[in-house]
């Protein structure tokens, strides 16, 4: 991707995130983004269909980064704590987006996709560590653990990431 395209997309995203800090997504218009970003509407539409598509693209990029946060696919070489710290470090690197996704009503799809990423990694570890565990037991355990973890992460995000990622993990 050429430097100008990267810059333009960056400006569009940053402007959109600023606006999301100020108001709900359904109150944000493409014209408003373009005026504030000092671009024309055709430029916006070259890359995004509308504000919802822009949010979706931001979430997709973040999910890719979260998937890559802890590279080890080898079940023996990672712990859930190490994996959690890597995820939380990615949250810290993307504070602005994470705060918006956790503090608005726009986050349900992101949270579901995020939990899928975490579930797949944790499932591998649990199957390795707990002999004879059933799919149903994994599901119940995941629901219990992930709901509690989301509550803690949500509290952490709302309190501006005050505790370290190691403490939260």
């Amino acid at each position: 991707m050429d430097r100008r395209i990267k810059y333009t997309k960056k400006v569009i995203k940053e402007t959109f995130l600023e606006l999301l800090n100020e108001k709900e997504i359904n109150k944000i218009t493409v014209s408003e983004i373009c005026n504030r970003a000092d671009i024309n509407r055709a430029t916006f539409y070259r890359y995004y269909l509308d504000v919802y598509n822009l949010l979706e693209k931001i979430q997709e990029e973040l999910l890719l980064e979260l998937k890559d946060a802890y590279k080890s696919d080898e079940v023996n070489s990672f712990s859930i704590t190490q994996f959690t710290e890597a995820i939380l470090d990615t949250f810290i690197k993307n504070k602005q987006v994470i705060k918006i996704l956790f503090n608005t009503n726009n986050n349900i799809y992101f949270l579901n996709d995020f939990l899928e990423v975490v579930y797949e990694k944790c499932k591998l570890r649990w199957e390795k560590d707990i002999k004879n565990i059933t799919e149903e037991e994994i599901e119940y355990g995941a629901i219990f653990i992930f709901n509690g973890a989301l509550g803690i992460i949500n509290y952490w995000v709302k309190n501006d990431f005050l505790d370290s990622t190691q403490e939260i993990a």
Side-chain angles (χ1 to χ4, degrees), residues 3-45:
R3 224 176 63 227
R4 290 172 296 167
I5 293 170
K6 282 183 183 177
Y7 174 77
T8 302
K9 286 183 167 186
K10 180 179 182 253
V11 168
I12 292 170
K13 288 175 193 172
E14 287 173 354
T15 303
F16 175 64
L17 292 173
E18 287 171 15
L19 287 166
L20 265 179
N21 271 325
E22 298 169 15
K23 55 179 129 180
E24 290 291 319
I25 191 170
N26 60 347
K27 304 268 194 251
I28 299 172
T29 66
V30 171
S31 295
E32 190 174 16
I33 293 169
C34 293
N35 288 338
R36 199 180 273 197
D38 198 25
I39 60 166
N40 64 47
R41 289 169 56 89
T43 301
F44 179 93
Y45 288 118

Side-chain angles (χ1 to χ4, degrees), residues 58-60 62-63 66 91 97-98 101-102 106-116:
I58 290 170
Q59 290 175 343
E60 286 172 6
L62 181 57
L63 284 167
L66 287 168
F91 276 29
V97 176
I98 292 296
L101 293 176
F102 272 80
N106 311 314
N107 67 0
I108 192 70
Y109 299 113
F110 169 75
L111 290 178
N112 284 335
D113 292 342
F114 165 66
L115 287 177
E116 275 184 43

